[in-house]
Amino acid sequence: VKKGAFDFISKPLDLNRLLITLRNALDKSTLIGEKKALQKKVRSKDTPKMIGESEGLKAIQQTIERVAPTDARILITGPNGTGKELVARWVHHQSSRAKQPLVEVNCAAIPAELIESELFGHEEGAFTGATRSRRGYFELAHHGTIFLDEIGEMPLHLQVKLLRALEDRNIRRVGSESPVEVDVRIVAATNRNL
C-alpha cells in the first residue's frame, strides 16, 4: 500500500471484502477522471485575456503571437502596473509548453539569502534548517515556463549562477555536487533600465 497499491486482500478470500474493494477502486478511478476534467476546464478559464483596441496593445499582441511559439527567452520591460505579468502568462498559454507548468517567481519578494535555494532547491543538511531535500522553482517548471518577475532585483552573484543554468540547461541544488537537467523557458520582467 505504501508503494502505491490501492488495497490488498488476505487469504482466505472474503467475497464481500473483495466486492467492497472493487467498488472503492472504481469509485476512486471515476473521481480521478472527474478531477482531471475539472482541472482542464479551470485551466482553460485561467487563460489570460488582453482587452483593448489601442495600436500599442495590438503591437504587443502581434509580438507575442510571433514569439510565443518559439523557445526564445523573453525580457518584458515597463513601469509597475503595466501588465508585464499578464504578458508573461499570455506568452506561456500560446506556447508549445502551455500544458506544462508556469512557475511565477517574484525575485524582489524573496530575501537574498534564500533566493538560490528557492530557485535551484537544496539537499537535506545543506544549511541550518534544511531538514529535507527540496526541489526549486526551476525543477518545478521542468518542460514548462519560469517567469522571473523583477529580475533586476536579483543579487549579482546569483545572476552568474542563473546565466550558467541558462547556458548549460542544468542546475545544482544547494549542497549538492551533481547537476540536475532542466528544460525551462525563461520569461523575465523588470521595471528597471537594465
Side-chain angles (χ1 to χ4, degrees):
V1 172
K2 286 182 181 178
K3 295 206 177 214
F6 180 77
D7 202 351
F8 67 93
I9 300 170
S10 58
K11 292 183 180 181
L13 188 61
D14 180 359
L15 290 178
N16 287 333
R17 174 153 168 109
L18 177 62
L19 289 173
I20 290 170
T21 301
L22 289 173
R23 188 177 316 123
N24 289 343
L26 289 172
D27 287 347
K28 182 178 180 183
S29 176
T30 303
L31 287 173
I32 289 172
E34 289 174 0
K35 176 186 166 197
K36 286 181 181 177
L38 287 171
Q39 285 175 330
K40 186 176 181 181
K41 192 181 269 189
V42 167
R43 260 189 247 115
S44 68
K45 288 185 179 183
D46 284 347
T47 303
K49 296 188 178 21
M50 291 189 162
I51 302 168
E53 299 291 325
S54 72
E55 291 302 315
L57 185 59
K58 287 179 183 177
I60 289 170
Q61 289 173 336
Q62 289 172 351
T63 302
I64 292 170
E65 289 170 3
R66 192 173 63 246
V67 176
T70 71
D71 258 350
R73 298 176 189 123
I74 298 173
L75 177 65
I76 306 164
T77 60
N80 288 335
T82 55
K84 297 183 293 292
E85 188 175 324
L86 180 61
V87 170
R89 287 182 184 158
W90 214 41
V91 166
H92 174 72
H93 285 287
Q94 291 199 0
S95 74
S96 60
R97 298 173 184 258
K99 292 184 178 171
Q100 301 300 326
L102 168 64
V103 176
E104 299 179 21
V105 181
N106 184 343
C107 298
I110 303 171
E113 57 274 358
L114 294 179
I115 196 162
E116 182 176 3
S117 172
E118 292 291 317
L119 289 177
F120 305 131
H122 63 262
E123 293 296 328
E124 181 180 347
F127 51 85
T128 305
T131 57
R132 61 181 179 88
S133 294
R134 187 181 152 292
R135 297 187 317 160
Y137 292 132
F138 270 82
E139 284 184 80
L140 295 173
H142 189 55
H143 294 303
T145 304
I146 187 166
F147 173 51
L148 300 172
D149 197 9
E150 300 302 338
I151 190 79
E153 304 300 321
M154 186 178 289
L156 288 176
H157 75 278
L158 195 59
Q159 290 182 26
V160 173
K161 292 182 180 185
L162 182 60
L163 178 61
R164 175 158 287 135
L166 295 176
E167 289 176 344
D168 298 344
R169 292 187 165 268
N170 65 51
I171 52 125
R172 289 186 197 273
R173 290 180 179 173
V174 175
S176 174
E177 294 183 12
S178 56
V180 176
E181 189 174 320
V182 289
D183 172 25
V184 295
R185 179 183 197 172
I186 304 286
V187 178
T190 185
N191 60 4
R192 286 187 175 192
N193 180 355
L194 298 181

